[in-house]
Amino acid sequence: MKYNILVTVIIPIYNAETYLSRCIESILNQSLTSFEVILINDGSTDNSVEICNAYAAKDKRLRVLQLDNHGPGYARNIGLQNAKGKYIQFTDSDDTLPVNFLEAMLYRIEDENADLVVCGIKNVKNNNTINELTVKEELADPKKMYIELFVSLLEKGLAYSPCNKLYRNEIIKSNNISFGTEFNIGEDAIFNLSYIKQSKRISFEESVFYEYHQNDGSLIHSYFQKKFEIQTLLYENLKKLVKEVTNTNSIESMYLYYQYEFAFVFINYYLPDCPMSSLDRKKMISKIIQNELVQEVYEIPNRRSNLQKIIRILVRFKSVTIMDAFLRTFRRRYL
C-alpha cells in the first residue's frame, strides 16, 4: 500500500476548549511537515468544534470529523478508518508534542525498521515539568525479548498509553486492530496488546518526550463501576500474550504491576463518589479476594510500598472484614 502522507495524528476531542489550541499549535509547529491531523469531535458541548473548524480552514492538513459522544476508543477507531498516513500517532487534546517529536519518532521507526517506536513521557503541570518517565533501561538491554521489554514498560506507565508511540498503519489495517469500546478505561491496553502481538521489533527513542499535561482532577478520585472487570480482562489478555510469545505463564514484573493495579481496584470501591452500600461493598471485596486470578497475581511478595504489602497480605489471607476496615481507614485519611 502506498502512502502519500508520512504520519496521521489522531486527536479525540471532548469539551477541550481550554487546552485545544495549545495542542493543535504544538502539532502545526512540528519540524516534520508531511503529516495530517484528524480532529474528532466526540460530541463536545463547548466551543471545541468551532476551534477545530477555524484551524482546519487555515491549514488543509487538518480534517474535522463530527461524532455523537461515544468515548475516546470509538473516536480513535473512526480516526483509524480515515487515516491516510503510513504511520499513526495519537495525541490527547490537552497534551502537546515537542517540536521535533514526529521527526525523531519517524527517523527511529524507519532507521531501525521497527514496527513500533516508544518514547518517554514528560509530566507537566502549570507549564512546569514534574518528572520524566524514560526508556533508558530498555535501550541498555536490547537482548530482551520484545514482550519482556513491553512488560518492563508497564511498571513505568509507558506501555498502555497510545500517545508515546508511533505505529505502522499497515499492521493496524491488515490485522483489523482497534480500540476497545465496551469500557471507558482500558481501551488503550486492548489496542496495544493486539498490536504488540503482531509486532516483530520495538524501538525506543530517548531524545524526545510526549508532553502529558496534568490538569485539575484525578482519575483516582473517580469511581468506575466496572473497574474490577476491566483489570481482570487486561490481566488475562497480557497473560495470554506472554504465554504465546515466551511459552511461560508469567513474568515476575507482570505480577508486580498488577498488584499495583488491583490495589486501586480495591480503593475504587471506597472513593467518595462510590454509590455502594457498606454491605454491597463488602460483598464486592469478597468477590475480588476470592477470585483465582487475583490470588495468582498476589502470590509473589511485594516490597514496593506499604500499601501494596498490606493489601497483598489481606488478599492472601482472604480477610474481607479486615480489608474493609483497612480501606475505610485509608479513605478517611487520604481520599
Side-chain angles (χ1 to χ4, degrees):
M1 185 180 294
K2 265 197 167 184
Y3 297 94
N4 295 322
I5 298 168
L6 284 174
V7 181
T8 296
V9 180
I10 296 174
I11 309 177
I13 298 161
Y14 179 73
N15 290 351
E17 64 177 11
T18 305
Y19 312 105
L20 186 53
S21 292
R22 179 184 67 188
C23 173
I24 295 174
E25 291 284 352
S26 78
I27 298 170
L28 295 181
N29 289 332
Q30 289 293 298
S31 55
L32 180 77
T33 57
S34 178
F35 64 81
E36 66 170 350
V37 182
I38 302 181
L39 302 164
I40 306 159
N41 182 45
D42 187 32
S44 296
T45 57
D46 63 1
N47 293 318
S48 292
V49 68
E50 286 81 7
I51 295 172
C52 291
N53 289 334
Y55 276 101
K58 296 177 184 178
D59 196 317
K60 294 182 179 179
R61 294 176 296 179
L62 277 66
R63 285 188 282 156
V64 182
L65 302 180
Q66 289 269 39
L67 304 177
D68 293 331
N69 181 246
H70 291 285
Y74 184 92
R76 288 184 179 127
N77 288 338
I78 296 298
L80 287 171
Q81 292 170 19
N82 288 273
K84 299 176 181 178
K86 183 177 181 180
Y87 303 104
I88 303 293
Q89 196 276 328
F90 299 98
T91 297
D92 285 343
S93 57
D94 52 353
D95 295 336
T96 52
L97 304 181
V99 67
N100 65 328
F101 184 92
L102 294 179
E103 184 178 11
M105 298 288 277
L106 178 67
Y107 173 82
R108 185 64 57 203
I109 201 169
E110 294 197 331
D111 183 62
E112 299 189 9
N113 193 28
D115 295 324
L116 177 70
V117 178
V118 182
C119 72
I121 290 177
K122 180 185 292 185
N123 288 305
V124 181
K125 189 166 187 178
N126 299 325
N127 295 319
N128 295 314
T129 299
I130 299 173
N131 59 25
E132 295 176 348
L133 308 175
T134 73
V135 296
K136 290 181 180 179
E137 289 81 0
E138 285 69 32
L139 285 166
D141 196 358
K143 293 181 180 180
K144 278 188 176 181
M145 292 184 66
Y146 76 84
I147 187 60
E148 291 180 279
L149 293 171
F150 181 76
V151 171
S152 70
L153 292 173
L154 280 172
E155 298 180 83
K156 296 182 176 183
L158 297 174
Y160 283 153
S161 171
C163 297
N164 65 322
K165 299 173 179 67
L166 191 67
Y167 305 85
R168 288 187 179 271
N169 197 356
E170 185 176 356
I171 291 178
I172 295 171
K173 282 184 165 57
S174 61
N175 294 284
N176 296 314
I177 299 171
S178 62
F179 286 84
T181 57
E182 183 179 356
F183 304 114
N184 286 330
I185 60 173
E187 73 279 354
D188 302 347
I190 297 296
F191 179 86
N192 278 306
L193 289 171
S194 300
Y195 188 91
I196 285 287
K197 188 176 179 180
Q198 304 300 329
S199 301
K200 295 179 180 178
R201 179 174 176 80
I202 299 178
S203 181
F204 298 93
E205 175 53 54
E206 182 183 1
S207 64
V208 293
F209 295 87
Y210 179 83
E211 295 170 348
Y212 170 72
H213 290 260
Q214 298 184 9
N215 303 312
D216 292 335
S218 172
L219 288 179
I220 189 176
H221 295 294
S222 300
Y223 166 75
F224 287 99
Q225 183 179 4
K226 298 287 186 179
K227 195 173 183 74
F228 172 57
E229 290 81 358
I230 294 168
Q231 291 300 345
T232 303
L233 175 66
L234 297 182
Y235 172 71
E236 287 180 317
N237 276 275
L238 180 60
K239 183 181 176 182
K240 182 179 179 181
L241 178 59
V242 168
K243 175 70 173 177
E244 290 176 357
V245 175
T246 67
N247 202 33
T248 60
N249 285 319
S250 69
I251 299 173
E252 182 174 324
S253 56
M254 178 180 79
Y255 285 136
L256 294 175
Y257 172 76
Y258 273 98
Q259 286 187 25
Y260 168 84
E261 288 293 346
F262 277 116
F264 287 102
V265 169
F266 285 111
I267 292 170
N268 177 63
Y269 300 102
Y270 291 80
L271 294 175
D273 59 340
C274 177
M276 286 184 171
S277 67
S278 296
L279 180 60
D280 287 340
R281 188 181 289 119
K282 288 185 74 172
K283 287 180 179 179
M284 189 67 198
I285 295 302
S286 178
K287 176 183 176 180
I288 298 171
I289 285 179
Q290 299 296 331
N291 184 274
E292 290 184 5
L293 287 178
V294 174
Q295 285 292 328
E296 176 183 289
V297 164
Y298 280 99
E299 284 179 0
I300 291 180
N302 190 321
R303 301 176 181 86
R304 300 191 172 192
S305 76
N306 289 332
L307 173 63
Q308 292 180 57
K309 289 178 188 175
I310 293 170
I311 287 179
R312 178 183 176 272
I313 292 170
L314 297 175
V315 169
R316 295 298 291 163
F317 283 97
K318 299 183 180 180
S319 305
V320 176
T321 301
I322 300 176
M323 177 74 85
D324 174 68
F326 170 73
L327 291 170
R328 281 190 284 110
T329 302
F330 181 88
R331 177 181 61 187
R332 287 194 297 269
R333 182 169 297 182
Y334 297 108
L335 301 177

